[in-house]
Amino acid sequence: MTKISAAEVGYIAGLFDGEGSLHIRRGLEKKKKHRGKPGYRMSNSMRISMEISMTDEMVIRWVHEILAVGTVIRRDIKGKTKSGGKFKTQWRWRCTFRDCYYVCRLLWPHAKVKLPKLEKVIDHYEPEIQDLDDNVVELDRFRDNIWFGKDK
């Protein structure tokens, strides 16, 4: 993994604030039973995913290359615009679960609009931080420990 500069992370954070979305859902899910038992069981699971969607393929591919996590998909939108033309092809970078947590930690110091949702993901994976006085984490301490260029 290459080292990610603060400028790149700041740019991606701004892009995510404007064009991105973060989905957090806890609920019962049907899962296969383990250890050879037939049928299904219900699991109280947390589903976490984030994405950036836009029509500029080059920017989405750059985000994927810099973050080195997630996937890029192409989505052709059917139908016509109000003026009768075709919709542009949409490109999406998407990641889930621990990869999402990694990206949330990177973007946290720079995010503004999506900051509360980023904090929910971080709190889910780092419950011990919630035990600190008033749930306050020093920004300098966090930045010193952030994963710029380190393996997950």
Side-chain angles (χ1 to χ4, degrees):
M1 185 183 239
T2 60
K3 186 171 172 82
I4 303 172
S5 73
E8 291 169 328
V9 173
Y11 183 85
I12 294 171
L15 194 62
F16 180 72
D17 268 350
E19 303 290 334
S21 62
L22 180 60
H23 305 280
I24 305 166
R25 185 178 65 88
R26 180 180 292 280
L28 292 176
E29 292 184 345
K30 191 172 166 181
K31 297 200 178 219
K32 288 185 178 179
K33 287 189 177 178
H34 298 286
R35 300 190 183 119
K37 296 177 183 175
Y40 292 89
R41 64 185 170 86
M42 295 306 285
S43 169
N44 187 11
S45 302
M46 179 79 94
R47 304 288 301 171
I48 300 170
S49 67
M50 66 190 312
E51 70 178 41
I52 299 173
S53 301
M54 59 186 343
T55 59
D56 191 340
E57 177 186 7
M58 192 174 79
V59 173
I60 294 296
R61 295 231 181 253
W62 176 81
V63 168
H64 184 244
E65 181 182 322
I66 294 298
L67 295 176
V69 296
T71 58
V72 172
I73 59 171
R74 173 188 170 146
R75 181 169 180 239
D76 293 315
I77 301 173
K78 296 179 182 177
K80 303 277 184 189
T81 63
K82 287 183 181 180
S83 63
K86 269 184 77 176
F87 284 105
K88 290 184 177 180
T89 300
Q90 189 178 70
W91 292 90
R92 290 182 180 183
W93 167 84
R94 184 172 189 257
C95 70
T96 58
F97 302 109
R98 294 255 178 203
D99 289 341
C100 184
Y101 164 64
Y102 160 72
V103 175
C104 287
R105 288 217 25 200
L106 282 175
L107 302 184
W108 180 79
H110 306 279
K112 302 289 182 232
V113 177
K114 306 266 185 348
L115 185 60
K117 283 198 167 189
L118 294 175
E119 288 175 341
K120 278 186 179 180
V121 173
I122 293 169
D123 289 346
H124 173 70
Y125 284 103
E126 293 182 1
E128 67 276 0
I129 289 182
Q130 294 176 10
D131 296 335
L132 296 175
D133 296 334
D134 298 324
N135 196 21
V136 174
V137 179
E138 292 178 27
L139 185 57
D140 291 333
R141 188 177 121 218
F142 180 83
R143 285 183 175 151
D144 289 342
N145 294 326
I146 202 160
W147 293 341
F148 288 117
K150 297 179 185 174
D151 289 337
K152 292 181 263 175

